[in-house]
């Protein structure tokens, strides 16, 4: 982990200079692809990005990516997505071929060229990922739970678990031990509020 010059003010979107915050977020996002481009071949098959309030169970995440890849390859952008615009919240994983195209787009275009003046999430989706030149299939995984979705038991228990549209800030999440013991092992990516350790539960 290293500090990226120009990113110190990214948190000011919560109170401070909004433009400075958005610029810092864009610098941070561009750095993801700069670092990926520097890697020696063979490059990893996936590039993943996580906000600091997101976590993953790597084994479950790998299984999830392998399960979803045949449905969207070579344009996979997998996330906890919502609404008709496929907004990816909190974290995402992008297939190698798509990451390389995004990297080329960012390397050959300024923020002004792309009209990307806002955030590293919704702004990135709207101005970079929706660019017609790269081709992208946004897939919402049923095993990802960001701050916008809460896990519950499916209507038919044999179907396991499902997500409901209920932001963490609008509900009071209570960890029920019997639910967590069964659900948590199925979660690939999750907001840290949903973390569970049976040893200290």
């Amino acid at each position: 982990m290293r500090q990226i010059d120009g990113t110190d003010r990214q948190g000011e979107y919560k109170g401070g200079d909004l433009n400075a915050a958005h610029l810092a977020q864009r610098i941070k996002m561009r750095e993801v692809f700069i670092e990926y481009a520097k890697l020696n071949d063979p490059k990893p098959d996936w590039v993943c990005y996580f906000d600091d309030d997101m976590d993953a169970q790597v084994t479950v995440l790998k299984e999830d990516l392998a399960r979803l890849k045949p449905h969207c390859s070579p344009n996979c952008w997998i996330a906890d997505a919502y609404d008709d615009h496929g907004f990816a919240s909190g974290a995402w994983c992008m297939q190698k071929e798509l990451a390389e195209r995004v990297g080329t787009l960012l390397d050959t275009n300024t923020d002004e060229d792309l009209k990307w003046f806002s955030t590293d999430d919704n702004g990135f989706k709207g101005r970079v990922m929706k660019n017609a030149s790269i081709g992208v299939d946004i897939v919402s995984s049923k095993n990802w739970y960001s701050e916008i979705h809460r896990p519950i038991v499916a209507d038919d228990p044999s179907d396991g678990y499902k997500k409901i549209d209920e932001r963490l800030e609008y509900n009071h999440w209570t960890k029920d031990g019997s639910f967590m013991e069964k659900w948590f092992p199925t979660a690939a990516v999750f907001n840290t509020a949903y973390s569970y350790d049976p040893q200290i539960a």
Side-chain angles (χ1 to χ4, degrees):
M1 182 179 292
R2 65 184 179 84
Q3 175 66 32
I4 306 301
D5 290 342
T7 61
D8 291 342
R9 303 180 69 176
Q10 60 187 297
E12 289 191 25
Y13 72 96
K14 293 182 177 179
D17 185 334
L18 190 61
N19 290 329
H22 289 171
L23 174 60
Q25 291 176 3
R26 296 193 303 274
I27 291 170
K28 176 188 65 176
M29 187 61 77
R30 282 181 176 275
E31 195 67 22
V32 170
F33 295 94
I34 291 169
E35 286 297 309
Y36 183 71
K38 290 178 183 176
L39 294 176
N40 294 324
D41 287 326
K43 287 186 170 69
D45 291 336
W46 295 90
V47 175
C48 296
Y49 172 88
F50 292 80
D51 281 349
D52 61 1
D53 63 352
M54 297 293 289
D55 206 345
Q57 298 188 94
V58 175
T59 301
V60 183
L61 174 57
K62 286 181 176 180
E63 292 170 354
D64 199 50
L65 296 177
R67 177 180 61 83
L68 294 170
K69 182 177 177 179
H71 305 288
C72 53
S73 185
N75 302 313
C76 298
W77 190 33
I78 296 171
D80 179 20
Y82 73 99
D83 76 27
D84 294 336
H85 305 291
F87 177 73
S89 180
W92 50 258
C93 288
M94 187 184 300
Q95 197 172 4
K96 174 172 67 174
E97 293 84 352
L98 177 58
E100 289 173 342
R101 295 196 303 275
V102 172
T104 299
L105 180 72
L106 292 174
D107 188 45
T108 56
N109 291 271
T110 65
D111 292 349
E112 290 75 18
D113 294 333
L114 297 169
K115 297 180 172 50
W116 179 24
F117 302 117
S118 62
T119 61
D120 59 345
D121 46 28
N122 203 16
F124 177 74
K125 179 269 299 181
R127 294 300 179 179
V128 178
M129 297 308 297
K130 292 289 188 171
N131 191 293
S133 68
I134 60 169
V136 59
D137 290 323
I138 301 174
V139 177
S140 184
S141 170
K142 68 178 184 177
N143 297 317
W144 291 45
Y145 299 84
S146 67
E147 66 179 355
I148 63 170
H149 286 128
R150 182 167 64 87
I152 62 171
V153 177
D155 297 331
D156 181 346
S158 65
D159 291 335
Y161 303 91
K162 67 178 182 178
K163 303 187 283 191
I164 62 169
D165 293 339
E166 192 170 288
R167 294 183 70 98
L168 273 170
E169 63 190 282
Y170 302 142
N171 78 77
H172 301 286
W173 171 252
T174 301
K175 294 180 182 178
D176 176 87
S178 60
F179 173 84
M180 295 299 290
E181 283 180 10
K182 295 174 184 175
W183 166 75
F184 190 69
T186 72
V189 177
F190 50 91
N191 188 279
T192 54
Y194 298 139
S195 296
Y196 177 70
D197 183 346
Q199 301 301 317
I200 58 174

